[in-house]
Amino acid sequence: MMKGAFPPYTPTQNFKANYKELKIASSCYFGSVLGEQGGAFGIIAGAIQASKSSSGDKCEMFVEGESVETLYF
């Protein structure tokens, strides 16, 4: 229902869609995307993730502006 592409060097992705009469949105952080790029940038991204104690990806889902679920993977 929602899809998009990552801007360069950005681990976040925000989606918006309408499903029937509902406004659906998500705010996602995909740190693994940057970490897999390798080289100096991948090393820096990994260091940032480690400093935040983050090792995975996360999406917060919203329906009508209210947070309804947080997905970790």
Side-chain angles (χ1 to χ4, degrees):
M1 175 163 57
M2 295 185 280
K3 66 179 180 176
F6 286 99
Y9 307 113
T10 304
T12 58
Q13 184 67 276
N14 298 307
F15 301 101
K16 292 183 181 179
N18 290 321
Y19 178 73
K20 297 185 180 184
E21 301 294 320
L22 299 173
K23 291 182 182 179
I24 308 226
S26 67
S27 177
C28 302
Y29 175 81
F30 295 101
S32 64
V33 170
L34 291 179
E36 291 176 0
Q37 291 200 9
F41 193 78
I43 292 168
I44 292 168
I48 291 170
Q49 278 190 271
S51 72
K52 293 182 175 184
S53 297
S54 174
S55 61
D57 302 327
K58 166 184 154 177
C59 279
E60 189 170 6
M61 307 301 294
F62 300 90
V63 175
E64 294 295 326
E66 291 187 38
S67 177
V68 294
E69 189 68 59
T70 301
L71 308 173
Y72 298 93
F73 44 97

